[in-house]
């Protein structure tokens, strides 16, 4: 497989995801200034001599590595193979550091042309350097199983056994080295270029709301306003704005889907999701069972809840801008940044002081970029960077309860990445499905702590409804997104999809998942076009539902007290990084994602919350 040297980011969708040079840190709507991150732990700036030195040294070392090992991997003994992998890992870490800095700098200034040029230049340089290394993993995969097993008897090679295991999953899907290198080098002018065009187009967009120019983050936040007229105004402005760019977004989707289709055909993948499932180290049957379980639950989860919400609002039908609206009698509570921080850390501390201590590092140091600002990417993410540094978190904090939950989510990713970091660049990274475990678990801890501390029945109902909506957004909505992608990629095999066809597929999956309680307006037809996961990481979205259902089952075990030392076992699971598969990770808790009943058990938690709401309502 070709390797894109841009470290993965665990991203949260924008609708319920010292500061970068040249960007002020604005005041929060809730009062007080919001912190920005300091990227100097990576490099002091774009002109840092250390950055130039790292780039030049990595280039020289990659060329020397190719000269030394190309065509000779099969001649290495176990100790020699282990030493070669260690050298490959060291060069890779430098490349990841360079790209992490460029990505993070660009994420907060996507409309800055100079920052964009630096990001593109670094991407091209790292891609060229890393092309010298592509032969190595291909030659490893040319070793037969017995030959590799003999080499793994040596401790130096055995240390990388999990990485080798995962690498060899792709043996049947690799192309000759010259083709892999061509595809790798062309990425900067093909797929990555389209992704950047999408990101920067969205970052440049402004939506006219009541005479004020709003970014996409600000406009989407207004969809959760307590004033229905303000929600409607925002929804129509977003629909109008996206409609103006939908031709471009449709072209990007069609181009990337065709690009993926060509890649899948050459690599002999059986269906559009096959590559993602393989990378996630999860069997097709497990994903199919998850999707089927969630779709079968639509009537008893989303349809039932939104019908109840319509009654609370005194409406026959909800409008699309009512989906994330606070309840009619809910307080429009806004949290300050300090309140949000303390709320999340208390929940983490209550579960495990060690977990709280790791989380506290992100606040004691400048590892989080918090304020929304023009040019900053929407949504939120956690970026692991490299083990020799530390992760960074990006938020767009507006002070709502959902923003507190987003902080808990991204901090979960950050804690996971810190704990797994000692495994090293090649062994620390986890599949997307397991990467969402720590984040969703962090949300659940925070929600439970907030709910347990609340004694007012009305506020408890509001909190419970908010949690149900978050779970619906994480499970039902993400599976609907997954169905949208599946249908788009399947139909793209027969030819390009028109804007109207993309709109139609979107409306079909939305109506199916949200149910008869909604009256869908025409402006909503284009809302598919701002979802970044469709562009950045095809078929990412089911990982959210996977993680939520997994965490529900995991949290039930924690609450039951049936597993002694649960907290230590949980942190050990996170510290394992990518060394273990989901069956091995869940075995200490008596759970098995391959069991068809596993997903029903996780969905049962959501149904139970809705049952409780019906009783208190």
């Amino acid at each position: 497989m070709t390797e894109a040297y841009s470290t993965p980011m665990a991203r949260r969708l924008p609708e319920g995801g010292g500061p970068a040079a040249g960007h002020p840190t604005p005041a929060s709507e809730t009062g007080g200034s919001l912190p920005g991150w300091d990227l100097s732990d990576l490099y002091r700036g774009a002109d840092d001599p250390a950055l130039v030195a790292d780039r030049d040294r990595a280039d020289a070392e990659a060329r020397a590595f190719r000269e030394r090992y190309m065509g000779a991997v099969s001649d290495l003994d176990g100790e020699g193979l282990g030493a070669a992998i260690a050298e490959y890992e060291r060069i890779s870490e430098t490349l990841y550091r360079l790209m992490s800095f460029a990505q993070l700098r660009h994420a907060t200034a996507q409309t800055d042309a100079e920052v964009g040029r630096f990001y593109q230049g670094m991407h091209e340089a790292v891609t060229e350097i890393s092309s010298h290394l592509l032969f190595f993993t291909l030659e490893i995969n040319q070793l037969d199983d017995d030959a590799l097993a003999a080499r793994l008897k040596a401790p130096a090679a055995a240390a990388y056994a999990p990485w080798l295991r995962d690498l060899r999953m792709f043996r049947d899907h690799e192309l000759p080295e010259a083709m892999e290198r061509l595809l790798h080098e062309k990425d900067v002018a093909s797929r990555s270029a389209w992704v950047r065009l999408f990101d920067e187009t969205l970052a440049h967009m402004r939506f006219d709301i009541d005479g004020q120019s709003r970014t996409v983050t600000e406009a989407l936040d207004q969809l959760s306003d307590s004033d229905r007229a303000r929600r409607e105004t925002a929804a129509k402005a977003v629909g109008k704005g996206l409609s103006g760019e939908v031709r471009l977004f449709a072209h990007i989707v069609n181009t990337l889907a065709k690009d993926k289709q060509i890649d899948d055909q050459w690599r002999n993948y059986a269906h559009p999701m096959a590559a993602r499932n393989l990378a996630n180290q999860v069997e097709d049957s497990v994903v199919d069972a998850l999707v089927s379980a969630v779709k079968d639950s639509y009537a008893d989860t989303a349809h039932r809840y939104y019908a109840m919400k319509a009654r609370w609002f005194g409406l026959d039908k909800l409008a699309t801008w009512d989906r994330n609206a606070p309840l009619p009698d809910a307080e429009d509570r806004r949290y300050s940044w300090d309140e949000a921080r303390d709320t999340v850390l208390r929940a983490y501390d209550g579960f495990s002081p060690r977990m709280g201590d790791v989380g506290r590092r992100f606040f004691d140091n400048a590892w989080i970029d918090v304020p929304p600002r023009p040019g900053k990417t929407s949504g939120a993410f956690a970026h692991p960077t490299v083990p020799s540094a530390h992760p960074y978190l990006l938020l767009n904090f507006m002070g709502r309860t959902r923003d507190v939950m987003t902080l808990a989510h991204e901090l979960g990713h950050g804690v996971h990445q810190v704990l797994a970091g000692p495994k090293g660049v090649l062994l620390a990274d986890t599949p997307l499905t397991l990467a969402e475990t720590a984040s969703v678990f962090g949300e659940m801890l925070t929600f439970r702590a907030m709910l347990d501390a609340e004694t007012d029945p009305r506020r408890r109902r509001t909190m419970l409804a908010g949690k149900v909506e978050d779970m619906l957004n994480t499970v039902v909505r993400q599976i609907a997104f997954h169905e949208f992608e599946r249908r788009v990629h399947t139909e793209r095999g027969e030819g390009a999809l028109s804007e109207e066809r993309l709109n139609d597929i979107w409306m079909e999956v939305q109506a199916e998942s949200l149910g008869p309680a909604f009256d869908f307006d025409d402006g909503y037809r284009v809302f598919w076009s701002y979802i970044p996961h469709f562009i950045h990481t095809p078929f990412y979205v089911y990982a959210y539902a996977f993680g939520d259902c997994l965490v529900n089952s995991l949290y039930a075990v924690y609450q039951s007290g049936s597993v002694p030392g649960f907290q230590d076992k949980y942190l050990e699971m996170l510290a394992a990084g990518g060394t273990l598969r989901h069956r091995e990770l869940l075995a200490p808790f008596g759970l098995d994602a391959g069991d068809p009943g596993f997903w029903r058990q996780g969905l049962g938690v959501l149904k139970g919350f809705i049952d409780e709401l019906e009783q208190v309502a």
Side-chain angles (χ1 to χ4, degrees), residues 271 277 282-293 546 582-583 593-596 599:
H271 55 82
N277 293 351
V282 61
E283 301 81 1
D284 288 355
S285 60
V286 171
V287 177
D288 291 344
L290 165 65
V291 172
S292 294
F546 190 110
H582 64 83
R583 292 182 189 275
D595 179 356
W599 304 114

Side-chain angles (χ1 to χ4, degrees), residues 104-178:
L104 292 171
R105 192 165 177 260
H106 185 245
T108 57
Q110 292 186 332
T111 55
D112 186 313
E114 184 56 39
V115 171
R117 281 193 293 273
F118 172 79
Y119 170 74
Q120 183 68 19
M122 186 57 67
H123 191 183
E124 292 176 6
V126 167
T127 298
E128 181 179 354
I129 295 169
S130 61
S131 70
H132 299 301
L133 304 175
L134 285 175
F135 77 92
F136 185 59
T137 55
L138 297 172
E139 289 193 25
I140 288 176
N141 276 349
Q142 289 168 8
L143 297 173
D144 65 43
D145 291 340
D146 290 340
L148 181 60
R151 287 160 174 77
L152 287 175
K153 293 177 181 178
Y160 293 100
W163 178 72
L164 291 165
R165 172 203 65 199
D166 296 343
L167 180 67
R168 288 172 77 79
M169 294 190 306
F170 296 96
R171 291 174 73 186
D172 296 336
H173 306 287
E174 291 176 334
L175 302 173
E177 195 265 350

